């Protein structure tokens, strides 16, 4: 062993020496003030900033997430040394001002982001960006028919997005090109990059060692105009993987299990960083799956080290140069002679995590999560028993595989092996079976290699390369009507009540695509493909073999249809953006009013909400997606599935005289009466999507404050960006003291905002009886956030600055 270790060390030393010689040959004829231009611009910037980080923090051990995140700071010393005990207490305390490398936007959220960017009146974006048309295609009959119908119905929106892309120089991926996260992984994600994405599942790219954070449109606009983007320095949750997956267990089961351990808010304020020997056994797309669903535990983002699988994926997707660049950077000597002088895409030896969870992949079993929440995790071996105990439906009405979480070549070929085995036994799916490829590249390659023919031959329906049923764009063809209890199994990432088909009684159980596929043949939720058998048409007993698939195609990926490739061009300021003044789909934004020069008074509690209140609750998707670019129209869905704490009614609020309204109906009435309002809610308010409409709509209708027990990270930031003040109850018991209709005034809020976020805020609550009491609150308003709120919104401030 000692001789092997010495040989390994000698090999590393020789490799470094060769790299150093190469650099010396180049530097004989060139002079460099920082990193030699032997590195590509992105890695050169990373290298230079990393050198600053090491100078400021010294020999402090860093995790991979910290290396990449801190190496994108606008001002390293200012962010890492202000109020951090000399840089020793950065996590959870420092306000990091970051310069992302690029922004990626899906079509539903891109509309509002672009409308906000347009208000800044700049000729082009400060950093590269892309638009992906993936949310507006309804899954119904099949790919070709659905895509054609989707384009026809949404042509106005697609024309707007394409014209904006041409005017400002953005990449435009047309409808049918693929789901944003799969497309980003295939084309834009490279190790060391920092990206923002206007979708909560943007961290999918963490499977390729990027820092990718889901944000709202206002955050995206900050980056697009070149302003530093602020983030409270996350803590780091380490997930140590050991062992190796086998049989029916897949990377999806890692995150399904982790969600069960941590709950939907256990990762709030954390970056999840995977490490350990088990990491080396996973495929790149498998790692991306785990990162994708980190959103379901509230994590800021998730990330894996760069591995041999990462290198193979870059090469298989036609990015050999990116793999060479990553290798060069990791062996590029910096200042000094220690290991810290090299930027390695892994944590430093001795780096500490705020919390560590260990998962032995060899002992892990498949999990099924749900219904109605992604953290209700049940091992497959106990699922039948749980279904029967809970009286969940035993009949499976549909199985759906694919989505941005699980639509890789590996996922699909493993499912193909299951379908082939069943086909040879004469079996067909007993439940409706839907397949959603993640991108045109995946679809075309699966088609070329015969996988799609296998699925359709079994009776499966291949949907368009789009989000479809996962985001609520699903028109069911099986006669299951709203109000009918039923069960579906999906390989999706989120399963809130009513999310997929608008039916609040549809129970969506999340599982790996392999488990979904096998159980679709059984047609029942009580079937365990690892232990149970099915009866074939000729009366024999059939048991599924363990799934097997390929990490990637044996020959290069097929790029697919030319018309579905990205439109890339430089900015053309002479072009006009296509918006009709009479449109009911798109509307230019009017600025919100500034914060008054005093504390707020005369506010009324519009509604007190009980239970889970997600961004789906606050701003439903599905058919409402068509109004994403029209704030007045989409505001009609605000909180329309929220549960009134006083009465238990859904979407019911009562005016001060006792008159009954829908929640958005009463909000609009109070807006027209110039009566500002607030909402009182429970834990993890705004859980789920990065959907900034969940902040824009209440603001448009007159909300000034949201008070709750705790917030989801993205939504709390979105509220501040739109000028709504998010406050958490210092004593959660005070939730029981406040009721709908109560009058509320703030105490100390204006002073706190004028002091850049410093100071305490209380609420003076006046009951109908005249009784008054003070409620103490907590807040996470930074100096920048205070400026946004005082200005009325981040957009007001950014547009003013951009025009100076």
């Amino acid at each position: 062993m000692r001789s092997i270790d010495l040989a390994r060390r000698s090999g590393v030393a020789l490799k470094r020496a060769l790299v150093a010689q190469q650099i010396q040959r180049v530097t004989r004829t060139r002079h460099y003030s920082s990193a030699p231009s032997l590195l590509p611009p992105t890695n050169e910037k990373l290298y230079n900033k990393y050198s600053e980080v090491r100078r400021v923090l010294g020999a402090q051990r860093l995790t991979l997430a910290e290396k990449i995140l801190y190496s994108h700071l606008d001002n390293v010393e200012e962010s890492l040394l202000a109020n951090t005990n000399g840089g020793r207490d950065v996590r959870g305390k420092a306000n990091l001002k970051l310069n992302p490398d690029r922004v990626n936007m899906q079509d539903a959220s891109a509309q509002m982001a672009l409308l906000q960017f347009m208000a800044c009146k700049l000729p082009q974006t400060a950093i590269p960006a892309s638009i992906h048309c993936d949310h507006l295609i309804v899954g119904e009959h099949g790919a070709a028919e659905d895509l054609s119908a989707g384009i026809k119905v949404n042509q106005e929106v697609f024309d707007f997005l394409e014209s904006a892309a041409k005017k400002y120089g953005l990449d435009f991926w047309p409808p049918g090109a693929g789901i944003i996260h799969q497309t980003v992984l295939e084309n834009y994600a490279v190790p060391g990059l920092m990206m923002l994405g206007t979708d909560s599942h943007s961290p999918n790219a963490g499977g390729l060692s990027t820092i990718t954070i889901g944000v709202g449109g206002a955050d995206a606009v900050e980056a697009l105009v070149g302003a530093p983007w602020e983030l409270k320095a996350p803590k780091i949750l380490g997930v140590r993987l050991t062992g190796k997956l086998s049989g029916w267990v897949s990377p999806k089961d890692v995150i399904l299990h982790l969600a069960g351990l941590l709950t939907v808010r256990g990762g709030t304020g954390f970056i999840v960083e995977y490490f350990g020997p088990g990491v080396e056994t996973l495929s790149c797309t498998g790692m991306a799956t785990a990162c994708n669903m980190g959103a379901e535990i509230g994590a800021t983002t998730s990330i894996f080290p760069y591995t041999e699988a990462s290198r193979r994926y870059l090469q298989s997707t036609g990015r050999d140069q990116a793999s060479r660049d990553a290798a060069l950077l990791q062996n590029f000597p910096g200042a000094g002679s220690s290991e810290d002088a090299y930027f390695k895409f892994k944590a430093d030896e001795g780096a500490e995590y705020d919390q560590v969870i260990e998962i032995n992949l060899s002992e892990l079993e498949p999990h099924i999560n749900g219904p109605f929440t992604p953290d209700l995790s049940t091992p497959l071996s106990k699922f039948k028993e749980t279904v029967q105990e809970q009286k969940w439906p035993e009949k499976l009405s549909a199985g759906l595989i694919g989505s941005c979480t699980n639509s890789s070549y590996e996922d699909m070929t493993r499912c193909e092996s299951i379908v082939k085995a069943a086909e040879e036994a004469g079996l067909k799916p007993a439940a409706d079976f839907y397949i959603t490829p993640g991108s045109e590249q995946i679809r075309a390659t699966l088609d070329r290699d015969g996988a799609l023919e296998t699925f359709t031959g079994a009776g499966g329906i291949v949907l368009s390369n789009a989000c479809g049923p996962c985001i609520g764009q699903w028109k069911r063809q099986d006669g299951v009507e709203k109000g009918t209890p039923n069960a579906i199994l999906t390989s999706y990432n989120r399963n809130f009540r009513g999310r997929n088909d608008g039916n609040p009684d549809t129970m969506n159980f999340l599982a790996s695509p392999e488990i979904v596929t096998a159980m679709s043949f059984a047609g029942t939720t009580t079937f365990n493909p690892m232990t149970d058998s099915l009866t074939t048409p000729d009366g024999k007993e059939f048991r599924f073999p363990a799934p097997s698939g390929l990490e990637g195609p044996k020959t290069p990926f097929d790029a697919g249809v030319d018309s579905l490739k990205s439109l890339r061009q430089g900015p053309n300021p002479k072009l006009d953006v296509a918006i009709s003044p009479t449109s009911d789909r798109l509307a230019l934004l009017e600025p919100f009013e500034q914060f008054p020069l005093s504390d707020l008074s005369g506010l009324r509690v519009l509604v007190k909400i009980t239970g889970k209140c997600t961004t789906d609750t606050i701003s439903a998707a599905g058919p409402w997606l068509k109004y994403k670019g029209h704030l007045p129209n989409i505001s009609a869905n605000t909180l329309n599935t929220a549960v009134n704490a006083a009465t238990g009614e859904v979407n019911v609020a009562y005016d001060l005289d006792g008159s009954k309204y829908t929640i958005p109906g009463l909000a609009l009435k109070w807006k027209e009466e110039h009566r500002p309002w607030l909402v009182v809610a429970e834990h993890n308010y705004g859980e789920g999507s990065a959907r900034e409409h969940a902040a824009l709509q209440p603001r448009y209708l007159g909300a000034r404050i949201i008070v709750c027990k705790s917030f989801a990270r993205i939504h709390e930031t979105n509220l501040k960006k739109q000028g709504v003040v998010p406050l958490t109850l210092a004593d959660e018991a005070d939730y029981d003291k406040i009721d709908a209709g109560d009058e509320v005034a703030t105490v100390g809020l204006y002073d706190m905002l004028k002091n850049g976020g410093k100071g305490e805020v209380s609420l003076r609550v006046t009951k109908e009886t005249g009784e008054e009491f003070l409620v103490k609150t907590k807040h996470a308003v930074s100096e920048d956030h205070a400026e946004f709120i005082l200005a009325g919104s981040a957009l007001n401030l950014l547009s003013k600055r951009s025009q100076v």
Side-chain angles (χ1 to χ4, degrees):
M1 290 297 294
R2 176 174 171 78
S3 61
I4 294 174
D5 187 50
L6 288 172
R8 185 182 295 114
R9 292 180 183 177
S10 299
V12 170
L14 177 59
K15 191 174 184 181
R16 289 177 181 163
L18 291 172
V19 172
Q21 289 174 11
Q22 182 182 8
I23 295 167
Q24 288 173 2
R25 285 197 296 271
V26 175
T27 54
R28 288 192 188 105
T29 56
R30 299 179 184 175
H31 298 283
Y32 303 98
S33 58
S34 54
S37 58
L38 185 66
L39 295 173
T42 300
N43 283 1
E44 184 176 353
K45 183 178 75 170
L46 192 67
Y47 172 95
N48 289 335
K49 282 290 184 179
Y50 177 70
S51 298
E52 286 188 55
V53 170
R54 284 303 187 188
R55 176 180 59 79
V56 170
L57 296 181
Q60 184 173 318
R61 305 291 78 199
L62 298 176
T63 67
L64 172 60
E66 289 175 306
K67 288 182 186 180
I68 300 176
L69 196 63
Y70 299 168
S71 295
H72 283 85
L73 287 167
D74 187 60
N75 184 310
V76 174
E77 288 193 6
E78 180 183 300
S79 284
L80 296 183
L81 297 183
N83 303 313
T84 63
N85 188 23
R88 288 180 286 274
D89 299 319
V90 174
R91 299 176 191 172
K93 295 186 178 180
N95 287 320
L96 307 178
K97 294 189 176 182
L98 300 150
N99 291 318
D101 296 302
R102 71 174 297 117
V103 172
N104 308 304
M105 300 174 282
Q106 41 95 334
D107 52 357
S109 55
Q111 296 172 60
M112 196 56 67
L114 289 169
L115 288 167
Q116 292 178 85
F117 178 76
M118 288 166 60
C120 296
K121 301 187 184 306
L122 293 174
Q124 65 185 82
T125 60
I127 59 175
S130 59
I131 300 168
H132 304 258
C133 297
D134 62 355
H135 272 57
L136 299 178
I137 309 299
V138 175
E140 185 176 1
H141 300 294
E145 190 173 340
D146 293 347
L147 180 59
S148 177
I151 292 173
K152 183 178 180 180
V153 170
N154 299 291
Q155 189 68 62
E156 178 186 6
V157 172
F158 295 145
D159 286 346
F160 162 69
L161 296 173
E162 184 174 354
S163 64
K166 289 178 176 177
K167 182 177 181 68
Y168 299 115
L170 314 181
D171 289 358
F172 177 76
W173 294 83
I179 306 174
I180 178 173
H181 310 305
Q182 181 64 31
T183 305
V184 166
L185 190 70
E186 292 173 354
N187 294 273
Y188 299 123
V190 293
L193 211 65
M194 180 184 174
M195 301 187 287
L196 301 183
T198 60
D199 189 281
S200 57
H201 295 106
S202 297
N204 187 80
L208 202 42
S209 296
T210 74
I211 286 288
T212 309
I213 300 175
V215 298
D219 292 88
V221 173
E222 271 191 277
L224 291 175
V225 303
W229 178 74
E230 184 176 334
L231 175 72
K232 176 69 74 174
K235 295 181 180 180
I236 312 295
L237 169 64
V239 178
R240 185 172 186 269
L241 301 181
T242 60
K244 184 178 182 179
L245 299 173
S246 61
W248 285 91
V249 191
S250 78
K252 179 67 164 274
D253 296 304
V254 174
I255 188 62
L256 291 175
H257 174 57
L258 189 62
L261 295 177
L262 292 173
T263 78
V264 290
R265 51 195 180 97
T268 303
F270 285 86
I271 290 177
V272 178
E273 180 169 320
Y274 294 87
F275 70 105
V279 167
E280 297 291 337
T281 69
L282 301 178
S283 67
C284 181
T285 53
M287 293 188 282
T289 292
C291 290
N292 180 294
M293 268 195 71
E296 270 51 72
I297 57 173
T300 301
T301 191
S302 301
I303 194 167
F304 275 84
Y306 184 74
T307 67
E308 272 297 298
S310 311
R311 180 190 62 77
R312 291 194 299 270
Y313 185 75
L314 284 173
Q315 291 180 335
S316 71
T317 51
R319 294 177 289 167
D320 290 28
Q321 186 58 51
S323 68
R324 290 193 291 270
D325 291 342
L328 180 59
L329 177 62
Q330 292 195 97
N331 290 284
F332 208 97
S337 57
S338 72
E339 275 293 303
D340 292 350
Y342 296 84
F343 192 108
K344 299 292 186 182
F345 289 109
K346 62 179 182 179
D348 289 339
E349 191 71 34
E352 294 185 359
Y353 297 91
D354 295 281
Q355 181 182 349
V356 175
I357 293 174
E358 184 157 334
I359 298 176
N360 186 335
L361 302 179
S362 301
E363 297 176 356
L364 189 65
E365 71 169 294
H367 282 65
I368 299 179
N369 289 26
F372 305 137
T373 185
D375 61 347
L376 182 57
S377 185
T378 306
L380 178 61
S381 60
K382 297 180 180 179
F383 192 67
K384 176 180 179 179
E385 175 185 345
T386 305
V387 167
Q388 294 172 339
E389 285 179 352
Q390 299 297 321
K391 295 181 170 54
W392 293 333
E394 294 192 24
K395 179 184 177 182
L396 182 64
S397 62
L400 303 97
I401 64 171
S403 83
C404 69
T405 316
N406 281 107
S407 58
S408 68
Y409 190 86
E410 181 179 40
D411 289 328
M412 293 300 182
T413 54
R414 281 172 63 86
C415 292
E416 181 191 21
S417 73
I418 296 170
V419 175
K420 281 185 173 180
E423 185 179 43
E424 289 174 3
L427 295 171
K428 296 285 186 182
D432 288 350
F433 185 47
Y434 293 89
I435 303 96
T436 302
S439 70
E440 171 60 10
Q441 180 170 270
I442 291 292
R443 185 211 63 79
T445 307
L446 291 172
D447 188 33
R448 181 198 67 192
D449 296 348
L452 292 191
E453 185 178 357
T454 301
F455 292 139
T456 56
I461 299 173
V462 178
L463 299 175
S464 180
N465 313 320
C467 298
C470 186
I471 192 59
Q473 296 285 53
W474 183 24
K475 191 171 182 180
R476 298 184 69 157
Q477 300 296 302
D478 56 6
V480 175
E481 297 180 355
K482 191 172 183 177
T484 304
N486 72 105
I488 64 174
L489 270 165
T490 78
S491 66
Y492 302 163
N493 44 39
R494 195 162 281 166
N495 58 350
F496 301 146
R497 190 182 293 271
R499 177 178 174 89
N500 304 108
D501 59 1
N503 180 4
D505 293 300
T506 293
M507 298 183 185
N508 177 3
F509 296 94
L510 306 173
S512 70
E514 299 94 318
I515 295 296
V516 174
T517 300
M519 292 178 75
S520 296
F521 278 89
T524 172
T525 57
T526 59
F527 179 72
N528 182 343
M530 295 181 68
T531 59
D532 298 344
S533 300
L534 297 176
T535 302
T536 65
D538 58 3
K540 297 179 180 178
E541 291 298 302
F542 167 78
R543 180 176 291 183
F544 283 104
S548 61
L550 297 174
E551 180 182 272
K554 294 179 179 178
T555 56
F557 278 102
D558 187 328
V561 179
D562 285 343
S563 63
L564 296 181
K565 293 179 180 177
S566 170
L567 175 66
R568 302 183 180 187
Q569 65 284 305
N572 187 346
K574 295 180 180 179
L575 293 177
D576 292 326
V577 177
I579 300 181
S580 168
T582 60
S583 173
D584 68 349
R585 298 286 302 269
L586 299 162
L588 295 173
L589 295 174
E590 295 293 332
F592 292 130
E593 72 277 10
Q594 295 184 1
F595 196 88
L597 301 178
S598 64
D599 266 292
L600 301 174
S601 61
L603 284 79
R604 291 283 185 165
V605 178
L606 178 76
V607 64
K608 178 178 174 180
I609 298 168
T610 186
K612 188 186 284 282
C613 191
T614 70
T615 50
D616 279 20
T617 310
I618 308 166
S619 175
W624 289 96
L625 286 175
K626 64 184 178 182
Y627 294 129
K628 283 287 188 176
H630 199 293
L631 184 55
N633 282 352
I634 198 171
S635 293
N637 80 356
T638 305
L639 289 163
N640 68 353
T641 58
V643 179
N644 187 313
T647 67
E649 296 169 294
V650 176
N651 193 24
V652 172
Y654 292 87
D655 204 349
L656 301 181
D657 64 359
S659 301
K660 185 176 181 179
Y661 288 83
T662 65
I663 296 174
L666 183 58
L668 181 60
K669 179 177 183 289
W670 284 8
K671 170 185 170 66
E672 292 170 346
E673 294 173 352
H674 305 288
R675 175 177 288 143
W677 49 269
L678 70 149
V679 165
V680 178
E682 297 196 81
H683 276 297
N684 213 27
Y685 182 85
E687 170 193 343
S689 170
R691 196 171 301 171
E692 75 170 337
H693 290 74
L696 273 164
Q697 293 169 215
R699 176 70 163 107
Y700 171 77
L701 291 173
R704 299 312 302 256
I705 294 173
I706 303 294
V707 183
C708 63
K709 296 178 181 179
S710 65
F711 285 96
R713 175 193 65 84
I714 299 177
H715 187 64
E716 183 176 15
T717 300
N718 286 346
L719 288 169
K720 289 181 279 191
K721 293 292 174 73
Q722 301 305 336
V724 181
V725 182
L727 300 172
T728 56
L729 296 165
D731 181 354
E732 292 183 9
D734 284 337
Y735 169 85
D736 297 321
K737 298 179 181 179
I738 309 174
D739 295 298
D742 287 351
E743 185 174 338
V744 175
T746 63
V747 179
L749 175 57
Y750 183 67
D751 286 341
M752 179 273 285
L753 295 173
K754 292 293 289 184
N755 290 324
K758 296 178 181 176
E760 296 183 352
V761 179
S762 296
L763 302 177
R764 181 180 292 111
V765 180
T766 304
K767 311 292 285 187
E768 186 179 3
T769 60
E771 176 195 357
E772 285 189 359
F773 55 89
L774 276 181
V775 171
K776 292 185 178 181
T777 69
K778 297 182 288 185
H779 69 85
V781 176
S782 70
E783 185 176 355
D784 281 358
H785 296 151
E787 288 189 60
F788 295 148
I789 295 169
L790 287 170
S793 71
L795 176 60
N796 289 359
L797 195 63
L798 291 172
S799 59
K800 182 179 179 181
R801 288 175 178 173
S802 66
Q803 295 168 37
V804 173

